[in-house]
């Protein structure tokens, strides 16, 4: 059958081409793994990236050849994850076994900041000729809408804290007057306090890694 013979010929030629150019057969999952092995990021960031890769990026594209990935695929994933994350968390509820729980735009945006540099490496390493993530529109994060305590509310919180636990009250007071992050406050030591000059130096941030 000429048609079947042509199909087999096309298949064999593709296999030969992949053997000649093995990088073209690399998957998105393999590229992500190789990128993470060389990425210059701190331990806590690496842990978060690994989690996002495992829960979201690999289930979506892990087995896909990186050369087949498109900007459209990425944008569709970003949109879907902001609507529903049942594919990743495996949460089930209701009669149809489906629970819709959107991811925060900032979380989805982090995935873009993982896939884009990973594909930059793939271009540099000659796996692909162009970075499709550079063409994809990154998820937008809505502007922050903080609702800080008023001075009277802050005073009530501090007065209540002083009555319960002076150490906890000191922690809250420092958070209010310095604007430090929680890890920065936990990392403070006496050597960071200059009582003469009345200067507090934030030199370290404590990090808690998931194990």
């Amino acid at each position: 059958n000429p048609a079947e013979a042509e199909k087999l010929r096309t298949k064999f030629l593709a296999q030969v081409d992949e053997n000649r150019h093995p990088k073209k057969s690399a998957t998105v999952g393999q590229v992500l793994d190789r990128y993470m092995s060389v990425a210059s990021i701190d331990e806590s960031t690496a842990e978060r990236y690994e989690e996002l890769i495992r829960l979201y990026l690999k289930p979506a594209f892990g087995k896909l050849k990186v050369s087949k990935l498109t900007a459209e695929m990425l944008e569709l994933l970003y949109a879907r994850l902001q609507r529903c994350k049942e594919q990743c968390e495996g949460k089930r509820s209701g009669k149809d076994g489906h629970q819709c729980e959107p991811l925060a735009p900032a979380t989805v945006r982090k995935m873009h900041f993982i896939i884009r540099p990973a594909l930059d490496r793939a271009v540099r390493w000659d796996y692909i000729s162009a970075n499709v993530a550079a063409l994809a529109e990154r998820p937008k994060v809505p502007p922050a809408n903080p609702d800080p305590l008023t001075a009277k509310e802050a005073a009530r919180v501090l007065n209540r804290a002083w009555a319960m636990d002076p150490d906890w009250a000191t922690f809250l007071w420092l958070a209010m007057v310095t604007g430090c992050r929680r890890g920065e406050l936990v990392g403070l030591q006496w050597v960071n306090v200059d009582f003469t000059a009345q200067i507090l130096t934030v030199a370290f941030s404590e990090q808690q890694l998931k194990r």
Side-chain angles (χ1 to χ4, degrees):
N1 186 321
E4 290 296 326
E6 182 61 27
K7 287 182 180 179
L8 287 173
R9 176 178 176 276
T10 301
K11 179 179 178 181
F12 290 148
L13 287 174
Q15 290 175 346
V16 170
D17 184 65
E18 286 184 2
N19 288 332
R20 289 176 178 171
H21 307 283
K23 288 185 176 182
K24 291 184 179 179
S25 63
T27 65
V28 175
Q30 290 171 332
V31 167
L32 288 169
D33 288 341
R34 290 168 190 175
Y35 164 69
M36 289 301 296
S37 71
V38 300
S40 298
I41 50 180
D42 62 58
E43 190 175 0
S44 62
T45 300
E47 184 181 70
R48 179 56 173 155
Y49 279 13
E50 292 285 2
E51 181 180 45
L52 294 175
I53 289 170
R54 175 176 56 84
L55 291 177
Y56 306 106
L57 293 176
K58 280 190 175 180
F61 304 127
K63 296 181 180 179
L64 179 72
K65 288 185 179 180
V66 68
S67 59
K68 300 295 184 182
L69 186 65
T70 66
E72 179 184 17
M73 291 178 181
L74 290 172
E75 290 183 3
L76 288 173
L77 175 68
Y78 298 158
R80 185 166 70 249
L81 290 177
Q82 290 180 82
R83 292 195 301 268
C84 181
K85 69 172 184 177
E86 85 290 343
Q87 69 163 26
C88 310
E89 296 290 357
K91 295 184 177 180
R92 302 295 179 187
S93 66
K95 294 181 179 179
D96 61 355
H98 178 89
Q99 175 174 323
C100 195
E101 186 180 351
L103 289 177
T107 299
V108 182
R109 190 181 177 92
K110 282 189 178 71
M111 292 181 219
H112 182 77
F113 293 146
I114 296 171
I115 195 72
R116 178 162 180 170
L119 295 183
D120 277 340
R121 294 275 183 161
V123 172
R124 190 179 312 152
W125 293 336
D126 201 28
Y127 287 78
I128 49 178
S129 58
N131 184 348
V132 296
L135 302 175
E137 183 178 4
R138 63 188 182 187
K140 293 182 173 61
V141 177
N145 186 26
D147 184 21
L149 297 175
T150 66
K152 289 184 178 180
E153 289 171 337
R156 285 200 298 269
V157 170
L158 288 176
N159 288 335
R160 178 65 174 168
W162 282 115
M164 296 174 61
D165 184 347
D167 290 338
W168 173 237
T170 302
F171 184 88
L172 291 178
W173 178 79
L174 282 172
M176 290 180 182
V177 300
T178 65
C180 287
R181 297 172 181 269
R182 180 175 53 186
E184 293 170 339
L185 291 173
V186 172
L188 288 175
Q189 301 180 28
W190 285 115
V191 294
N192 301 129
V193 184
D194 185 335
F195 290 100
T196 302
Q198 297 183 341
I199 294 175
L200 177 69
T201 302
V202 179
F204 176 76
S205 179
E206 188 72 38
Q207 297 178 347
Q208 183 176 13
L209 302 178
K210 297 178 182 178
R211 296 300 184 188

